[in-house]
Amino acid sequence: MKSIFSFILLLLAFLGANSQENQNEELGKLTSGNFTVNKVLENNGNFKFETASKQWPISFTKVGNNYSEVTVNRAGIIEEKYQADLPGFPAYYKSETSDIIITAIDKKIYYYSYSVKTGASIKYIFSETKIKNYADEKATLDNYRNSIKELQTTTRTQRIEENNALAAKQEEEHTLKGKIIKSINVVPVTKPSEVGLLSIIAIGVEVTLDNGKVLKTKNLGGFTPYTDFESEVSGGDFAGGDFKVADDSRKIPGDKIEIAVWSKYDDKKTKGKFSIPVNYKRDVNYNFSGNSGASGRGGTVGYSINGKNGEDGKSVNISVTTIQLNGEPVNKVVITDKYSGNIIAESKLNTNYTLNINANGGNGGNGSVDFGNGGNGGNGGNGGNVTITGTGASSLKSSIINKGGTGGVGGNAKTQSFEKGMNGRNGNNGIISK
């Protein structure tokens, strides 16, 4: 008899859990409007409800068969919006700005916070019907949350399986594998007006199949993966739908970028091509600053307590020549190391754009403390010298920063009987010559 009784209890519990209705069904029993407000009052651990004199407006937003949002006008003034936790099978509605949660059960709307350990802490119940005592209402809400959680787990699993099936179907429909290609069109997502060094241009691909169907990459609103394509480029690099213009004008033959794209599954290699002139309408930035010195490390074998000196900024010569490209004046800039004479970089930029050079000296490292005297701070590096020459020097817009680095701070002594380390010297500012 005892085992039969236990079985009946388990069966009833199972049926109770599976009879729980999700919030789409619970809210379907309600109508937007004014609800009686039952506020929870606490006195020495005892809870009771007090009915407010004014009702609060509450509304429900339905999209298709699902209720996506609950709006509570607290005190009829403050609008609070709560969104479904699992749209197809919600257990509650949550806010992005507070810990308050909304759940409807049997035409009662519970306004509460929730803890896995202690369950629900009810603040209000909005109801069209009579409410029970606090303990009973809390038990009703806690039981609902526990039961609906199990049902949500099943729903989430089903949804994952459905999404995976949909993704597999979508992949099969939009992949180029096994498809016969009629033509490929390579287009910029938006027509770029400024194309200079290191510009990034979003490039999309449209593929017309032999049956007339057109497949597109994601940046054009389609689903064909970029990994289905292979490409040849000139003037930069192309990956994941983005073309990045080269960082040096010597890498841009003919002052234009070119892209040829084809399906990696296509033996015929039917290609789509795209080309656009580089107008060099973009600021160019170079960093020739020296590295900062490392700080001292007291009490560490193999390291000094003294900070290391900052490195000097690189000294460079900049030769500027003004040329005409596509009817517009462009400065060709050649940058060489002042001492070795080696070319560091070449760039081109429209005369309305700026060449930015940073050639600061590195900061000296701070001194540390060992078991006695503090370590000395390292000296700051000197700023690099920058010389600008050439027929286009007067038309070049430039911003050059070549300050000396700051000396490191001397480390504090271990005790007053020892000496603090000396501060490092600041580096000298570099010279700008035009």
Side-chain angles (χ1 to χ4, degrees):
M1 284 295 293
K2 185 175 181 182
S3 60
I4 295 175
F5 182 70
S6 299
F7 173 76
I8 293 173
L9 288 178
L10 287 172
L11 179 62
L12 290 174
F14 175 80
L15 291 174
N18 286 277
S19 65
Q20 295 290 8
E21 297 179 323
N22 69 66
Q23 290 299 287
N24 290 323
E25 296 167 321
E26 292 287 359
L27 292 184
K29 304 173 185 177
L30 298 168
T31 303
S32 298
N34 294 326
F35 285 77
T36 298
V37 179
N38 301 282
K39 182 179 180 180
V40 175
L41 300 179
E42 179 185 3
N43 183 17
N44 294 325
N46 297 314
F47 299 89
K48 67 175 185 177
F49 291 103
E50 179 181 78
T51 303
S53 58
K54 293 185 178 180
Q55 294 182 321
W56 290 5
I58 301 177
S59 59
F60 316 110
T61 301
K62 191 175 184 180
V63 179
N65 295 322
N66 298 332
Y67 286 89
S68 60
E69 187 175 74
V70 175
T71 302
V72 177
N73 286 87
R74 186 153 55 91
I77 301 173
I78 303 172
E79 185 178 80
E80 299 176 348
K81 292 183 178 294
Y82 300 86
Q83 288 76 38
D85 67 317
L86 185 63
F89 200 96
Y92 56 84
Y93 293 80
K94 58 185 178 179
S95 168
E96 295 180 354
T97 58
S98 75
D99 63 349
I100 294 299
I101 298 170
I102 300 292
T103 295
I105 306 172
D106 294 333
K107 294 188 176 182
K108 298 175 186 177
I109 302 172
Y110 295 81
Y111 183 102
Y112 64 102
S113 59
Y114 190 81
S115 166
V116 175
K117 290 184 178 180
T118 60
S121 175
I122 303 172
K123 313 298 181 185
Y124 298 96
I125 294 179
F126 312 117
S127 178
E128 296 178 342
T129 59
K130 186 177 179 180
I131 63 173
K132 302 175 183 178
N133 62 58
Y134 183 87
D136 288 343
E137 294 293 358
K138 173 176 166 58
T140 297
L141 182 53
D142 287 342
N143 289 336
Y144 177 88
R145 286 292 302 264
N146 292 331
S147 300
I148 204 76
K149 182 179 179 181
E150 297 178 9
L151 300 178
Q152 279 192 320
T153 300
T154 302
T155 301
R156 286 191 174 95
T157 301
Q158 292 174 345
R159 178 162 294 184
I160 290 171
E161 292 173 351
E162 291 170 358
N163 289 341
N164 289 340
L166 180 62
K169 181 181 178 183
Q170 189 178 82
E171 181 180 353
E172 182 180 355
E173 291 178 349
H174 292 89
T175 182
L176 299 181
K177 188 175 183 178
K179 306 293 197 308
I180 300 176
I181 296 174
K182 181 179 179 182
S183 63
I184 296 179
N185 190 28
V186 184
V187 295
V189 175
T190 56
K191 187 175 181 181
S193 59
E194 299 180 352
V195 183
L197 299 186
L198 296 177
S199 290
I200 296 178
I201 305 167
I203 301 292
V205 185
E206 297 176 335
V207 180
T208 302
L209 305 180
D210 63 334
N211 60 6
K213 184 176 181 179
V214 178
L215 303 180
K216 300 179 181 181
T217 51
K218 185 176 180 180
N219 54 8
L220 294 178
F223 298 97
T224 300
Y226 303 110
T227 52
D228 278 9
F229 298 96
E230 293 180 345
S231 62
E232 291 176 344
V233 301
S234 175
D237 298 299
F238 180 58
D242 288 328
F243 187 96
K244 186 176 183 180
V245 181
D247 60 354
D248 191 304
S249 58
R250 291 173 292 180
K251 302 175 184 177
I252 310 176
D255 298 304
K256 61 182 177 180
I257 62 171
E258 295 179 304
I259 308 171
V261 174
W262 63 94
S263 167
K264 69 180 183 182
Y265 304 109
D266 183 13
D267 293 335
K268 295 182 180 180
K269 285 188 168 41
T270 301
K271 294 184 178 180
K273 297 182 179 181
F274 173 76
S275 177
I276 187 173
V278 179
N279 57 26
Y280 297 105
K281 291 185 176 181
R282 181 181 172 92
D283 292 344
V284 176
N285 307 297
Y286 290 108
N287 183 18
F288 301 129
S289 296
N291 293 323
S292 294
S295 295
R297 295 176 63 175
T300 306
V301 177
Y303 291 89
S304 171
I305 64 171
N306 299 319
K308 291 188 176 181
N309 296 333
E311 296 179 356
D312 294 339
K314 188 182 292 293
S315 293
V316 295
N317 292 327
I318 301 175
S319 175
V320 186
T321 305
T322 304
I323 59 176
Q324 291 289 320
L325 280 179
N326 300 318
E328 293 198 47
V330 171
N331 280 324
K332 178 182 178 181
V333 175
V334 180
I335 302 176
T336 58
D337 185 289
K338 195 175 190 72
Y339 300 109
S340 69
N342 294 330
I343 295 178
I344 301 172
E346 285 190 14
S347 60
K348 293 175 182 176
L349 66 163
N350 186 284
T351 54
N352 291 323
Y353 291 76
T354 303
L355 175 69
N356 298 301
I357 301 288
N358 284 328
N360 296 316
N363 296 326
N366 296 328
S368 183
V369 62
D370 200 351
F371 299 103
N373 297 328
N376 297 326
N379 295 328
N382 297 322
N385 298 323
V386 179
T387 301
I388 301 176
T389 60
T391 57
S394 60
S395 65
L396 178 69
K397 295 175 66 176
S398 63
S399 173
I400 300 171
I401 303 174
N402 56 346
K403 295 180 178 180
T406 302
V409 177
N412 292 322
K414 188 71 174 178
T415 66
Q416 291 183 352
S417 60
F418 293 95
E419 295 181 356
K420 178 182 178 180
M422 297 177 60
N423 292 338
R425 174 186 55 80
N426 293 336
N428 297 320
N429 293 336
I431 299 171
I432 302 173
S433 304
K434 294 183 179 181

